Amino acid sequence: MTVLINRLAIIGVGLIGGSLVRALREAGAVKSVVGIGRSLPNLEDALSLGICDDITQDPAEGVRGADVVFISVPVCAIPGVVAEIVQFLTPGCIVTDGGSVKTAIVSECEPLMPSGCFFVGGHPIAGTEHTGAAASFATLYRGRRCILTPTERTNAAALELVSSMWKLTGADVCFMEPGHHDRIFAEISHLPHMAAYALVHAVGTADVEGENVLSYTAGGFRDFTRIASSDPAMWRDIALMNKNALLKSIDGFSTSMAELRRRIEAGDGAALSEFFTISKQFRDGII
Ligand code: NAP
């Protein structure tokens, strides 16, 4: 395999950044990797697990000489991280990210790039509820989509390299306008996380004659609410950064819940069956 990236800098060596490196190493696509982060224990994990060759807590030092910088910190922190590193980038450097929200990140980061350096927005559609370098694994992206969100300012060669990088992880790369991405993922990812957090909150605080209701949970509740164990800081950032699209999705969900409530209150079995049948058909149709 020909080396695609000589020096890769990862800012935020967690599940997403660590898994990218592991996959690229397996593909023989990267020569050396520097991990950049805030906490030393996580960086030391990344070093001892063989994810990174070098580690540093100093972003300026870390990005020096890198031909690609991948940023995988919580979304609200991404523009600040880019602002902090731009003056230390090597000419020709490509900066890209894995953040789950794209409009705000792309519109804030693109104008920060110095002449001769390029920004490409990205979002791999893969993850787990676990965090940190130790949670990363090489097959995370295999057979999963990775969405790149180019704009009219995006450099074609930079886009091509980032696309090749993701293909080498086993991901299927597709392209989307940032706003379109944010509306789709508000529905399909951000709303379900909000619903899971809200459901667990409601049940966890429910008062049924002083019983700990959660001690009775079984398979269905656990399956449905697994994603409520996701990192609160990550989801706080996503909710804040994709606010407008997410509020619309929450409104749509509230309308559905109100309709369901109305049919239950009316004791209308036929209407309830119709509601559940339509939902089941949508669910069964997911491949
Ligand atoms: P993670 O495992 O917690 O890793 C995040 C990393 O960012 C950690 O190494 C953390 O290390 C660092 N970090 C945290 N807060 C920071 C801050 N304010 N400034 C600078 N660094 C910070 O999380 P992840 O799951 O890899 O998520 C990273 C990004 O990928 C997020 O933007 C998320 O939206 C996106 N994403 C996640 C998933 C998913 O399912 N998990 C899927 C697709 C995309 P230190 O605390 O040591 O700095």
Short mmCIF file of all heavy atoms in Angstrom, two decimals, residues 129-154:
data_model
loop_
_atom_site.label_atom_id
_atom_site.label_comp_id
_atom_site.label_asym_id
_atom_site.label_seq_id
_atom_site.Cartn_x
_atom_site.Cartn_y
_atom_site.Cartn_z
N GLU A 129 -21.39 4.34 22.34
CA GLU A 129 -21.60 5.25 23.48
C GLU A 129 -20.34 5.37 24.33
O GLU A 129 -20.35 6.03 25.36
CB GLU A 129 -22.81 4.79 24.31
CG GLU A 129 -22.65 3.48 25.07
CD GLU A 129 -22.90 2.23 24.21
OE1 GLU A 129 -22.70 2.28 22.98
OE2 GLU A 129 -23.26 1.19 24.80
N HIS A 130 -19.22 4.74 23.89
CA HIS A 130 -17.99 4.77 24.68
C HIS A 130 -17.04 5.87 24.19
O HIS A 130 -17.11 6.26 23.03
CB HIS A 130 -17.31 3.41 24.63
CG HIS A 130 -18.22 2.31 25.09
ND1 HIS A 130 -18.72 2.25 26.37
CD2 HIS A 130 -18.75 1.25 24.43
CE1 HIS A 130 -19.52 1.20 26.48
NE2 HIS A 130 -19.55 0.58 25.32
N THR A 131 -16.17 6.32 25.07
CA THR A 131 -15.30 7.44 24.71
C THR A 131 -13.84 7.13 25.06
O THR A 131 -13.56 6.20 25.82
CB THR A 131 -15.70 8.72 25.50
OG1 THR A 131 -15.63 8.44 26.89
CG2 THR A 131 -17.08 9.20 25.13
N GLY A 132 -12.95 7.95 24.50
CA GLY A 132 -11.53 7.85 24.83
C GLY A 132 -10.77 6.95 23.87
O GLY A 132 -11.35 6.13 23.16
N ALA A 133 -9.44 7.10 23.90
CA ALA A 133 -8.57 6.33 22.99
C ALA A 133 -8.77 4.83 23.16
O ALA A 133 -8.79 4.08 22.18
CB ALA A 133 -7.11 6.71 23.25
N ALA A 134 -8.94 4.39 24.41
CA ALA A 134 -9.05 2.95 24.68
C ALA A 134 -10.32 2.35 24.08
O ALA A 134 -10.40 1.14 23.87
CB ALA A 134 -9.01 2.70 26.18
N ALA A 135 -11.32 3.20 23.78
CA ALA A 135 -12.58 2.69 23.21
C ALA A 135 -12.49 2.55 21.69
O ALA A 135 -13.40 2.00 21.06
CB ALA A 135 -13.73 3.64 23.56
N SER A 136 -11.40 3.03 21.07
CA SER A 136 -11.32 3.04 19.60
C SER A 136 -10.99 1.66 19.05
O SER A 136 -10.36 0.84 19.73
CB SER A 136 -10.27 4.06 19.15
OG SER A 136 -8.98 3.68 19.59
N PHE A 137 -11.42 1.40 17.82
CA PHE A 137 -11.10 0.13 17.16
C PHE A 137 -11.08 0.32 15.64
O PHE A 137 -11.78 1.16 15.09
CB PHE A 137 -12.06 -0.99 17.58
CG PHE A 137 -13.53 -0.68 17.40
CD1 PHE A 137 -14.23 -1.17 16.32
CD2 PHE A 137 -14.21 0.10 18.34
CE1 PHE A 137 -15.59 -0.91 16.16
CE2 PHE A 137 -15.57 0.38 18.19
CZ PHE A 137 -16.26 -0.12 17.09
N ALA A 138 -10.26 -0.53 15.00
CA ALA A 138 -9.93 -0.33 13.58
C ALA A 138 -11.10 -0.53 12.64
O ALA A 138 -11.14 0.03 11.54
CB ALA A 138 -8.79 -1.27 13.17
N THR A 139 -12.09 -1.33 13.05
CA THR A 139 -13.18 -1.66 12.12
C THR A 139 -14.40 -0.76 12.27
O THR A 139 -15.43 -1.01 11.64
CB THR A 139 -13.62 -3.13 12.32
OG1 THR A 139 -13.95 -3.31 13.71
CG2 THR A 139 -12.52 -4.11 11.93
N LEU A 140 -14.28 0.28 13.08
CA LEU A 140 -15.46 1.11 13.36
C LEU A 140 -16.14 1.62 12.08
O LEU A 140 -17.36 1.72 12.01
CB LEU A 140 -15.07 2.31 14.25
CG LEU A 140 -16.18 3.31 14.58
CD1 LEU A 140 -17.30 2.67 15.40
CD2 LEU A 140 -15.64 4.53 15.34
N TYR A 141 -15.34 1.97 11.08
CA TYR A 141 -15.91 2.64 9.89
C TYR A 141 -16.20 1.69 8.74
O TYR A 141 -16.72 2.11 7.72
CB TYR A 141 -14.94 3.74 9.42
CG TYR A 141 -14.63 4.73 10.53
CD1 TYR A 141 -13.34 4.87 11.03
CD2 TYR A 141 -15.64 5.49 11.09
CE1 TYR A 141 -13.08 5.76 12.06
CE2 TYR A 141 -15.39 6.38 12.12
CZ TYR A 141 -14.10 6.51 12.60
OH TYR A 141 -13.85 7.38 13.62
N ARG A 142 -15.86 0.42 8.90
CA ARG A 142 -16.02 -0.54 7.81
C ARG A 142 -17.49 -0.69 7.42
O ARG A 142 -18.33 -0.99 8.27
CB ARG A 142 -15.44 -1.89 8.22
CG ARG A 142 -14.97 -2.71 7.04
CD ARG A 142 -14.17 -3.89 7.47
NE ARG A 142 -12.81 -3.55 7.91
CZ ARG A 142 -12.00 -4.38 8.55
NH1 ARG A 142 -12.40 -5.59 8.86
NH2 ARG A 142 -10.78 -4.00 8.88
N GLY A 143 -17.78 -0.43 6.15
CA GLY A 143 -19.16 -0.57 5.65
C GLY A 143 -20.10 0.54 6.10
O GLY A 143 -21.29 0.48 5.84
N ARG A 144 -19.57 1.55 6.78
CA ARG A 144 -20.40 2.66 7.25
C ARG A 144 -20.20 3.85 6.31
O ARG A 144 -19.21 3.94 5.60
CB ARG A 144 -20.02 3.07 8.68
CG ARG A 144 -19.96 1.91 9.65
CD ARG A 144 -21.26 1.14 9.77
NE ARG A 144 -22.34 1.96 10.31
CZ ARG A 144 -22.60 2.09 11.59
NH1 ARG A 144 -21.89 1.43 12.48
NH2 ARG A 144 -23.58 2.86 12.01
N ARG A 145 -21.15 4.79 6.36
CA ARG A 145 -21.00 5.97 5.51
C ARG A 145 -20.08 7.00 6.17
O ARG A 145 -20.06 7.10 7.40
CB ARG A 145 -22.35 6.64 5.32
CG ARG A 145 -23.17 6.00 4.25
CD ARG A 145 -24.29 6.94 3.87
NE ARG A 145 -25.08 6.34 2.82
CZ ARG A 145 -26.40 6.35 2.79
NH1 ARG A 145 -27.07 6.94 3.74
NH2 ARG A 145 -27.04 5.79 1.80
N CYS A 146 -19.37 7.75 5.33
CA CYS A 146 -18.71 8.95 5.84
C CYS A 146 -19.15 10.08 4.92
O CYS A 146 -18.99 10.00 3.70
CB CYS A 146 -17.19 8.81 5.84
SG CYS A 146 -16.43 10.34 6.42
N ILE A 147 -19.72 11.12 5.52
CA ILE A 147 -20.24 12.23 4.71
C ILE A 147 -19.24 13.37 4.71
O ILE A 147 -18.80 13.83 5.77
CB ILE A 147 -21.60 12.69 5.27
CG1 ILE A 147 -22.59 11.52 5.13
CG2 ILE A 147 -22.10 13.93 4.52
CD1 ILE A 147 -23.91 11.75 5.76
N LEU A 148 -18.87 13.83 3.52
CA LEU A 148 -18.01 15.01 3.39
C LEU A 148 -18.89 16.15 2.89
O LEU A 148 -19.80 15.93 2.08
CB LEU A 148 -16.85 14.74 2.43
CG LEU A 148 -15.94 13.57 2.83
CD1 LEU A 148 -14.79 13.40 1.86
CD2 LEU A 148 -15.39 13.76 4.26
N THR A 149 -18.64 17.35 3.42
CA THR A 149 -19.54 18.48 3.12
C THR A 149 -18.79 19.63 2.44
O THR A 149 -18.59 20.68 3.05
CB THR A 149 -20.23 18.97 4.41
OG1 THR A 149 -19.20 19.31 5.37
CG2 THR A 149 -21.13 17.90 5.01
N PRO A 150 -18.38 19.43 1.18
CA PRO A 150 -17.66 20.49 0.49
C PRO A 150 -18.54 21.70 0.18
O PRO A 150 -19.77 21.56 0.12
CB PRO A 150 -17.21 19.82 -0.82
CG PRO A 150 -18.17 18.70 -1.02
CD PRO A 150 -18.58 18.24 0.35
N THR A 151 -17.92 22.84 0.02
CA THR A 151 -18.63 24.06 -0.40
C THR A 151 -17.93 24.55 -1.67
O THR A 151 -16.97 23.93 -2.13
CB THR A 151 -18.52 25.16 0.67
OG1 THR A 151 -17.14 25.58 0.75
CG2 THR A 151 -18.97 24.66 2.04
N GLU A 152 -18.36 25.70 -2.18
CA GLU A 152 -17.71 26.21 -3.41
C GLU A 152 -16.26 26.64 -3.12
O GLU A 152 -15.46 26.79 -4.04
CB GLU A 152 -18.54 27.33 -4.07
CG GLU A 152 -18.62 28.64 -3.35
CD GLU A 152 -19.63 28.64 -2.19
OE1 GLU A 152 -20.35 27.63 -1.99
OE2 GLU A 152 -19.67 29.66 -1.48
N ARG A 153 -15.90 26.79 -1.83
CA ARG A 153 -14.53 27.19 -1.49
C ARG A 153 -13.60 25.99 -1.35
O ARG A 153 -12.39 26.17 -1.21
CB ARG A 153 -14.53 27.93 -0.14
CG ARG A 153 -15.27 29.23 -0.16
CD ARG A 153 -15.37 29.79 1.24
NE ARG A 153 -14.10 30.38 1.68
CZ ARG A 153 -14.01 31.40 2.50
NH1 ARG A 153 -15.10 31.97 2.96
NH2 ARG A 153 -12.84 31.86 2.87
N THR A 154 -14.15 24.78 -1.31
CA THR A 154 -13.33 23.60 -1.01
C THR A 154 -12.35 23.30 -2.15
O THR A 154 -12.73 23.26 -3.31
CB THR A 154 -14.23 22.37 -0.77
OG1 THR A 154 -15.18 22.70 0.23
CG2 THR A 154 -13.42 21.16 -0.32
#
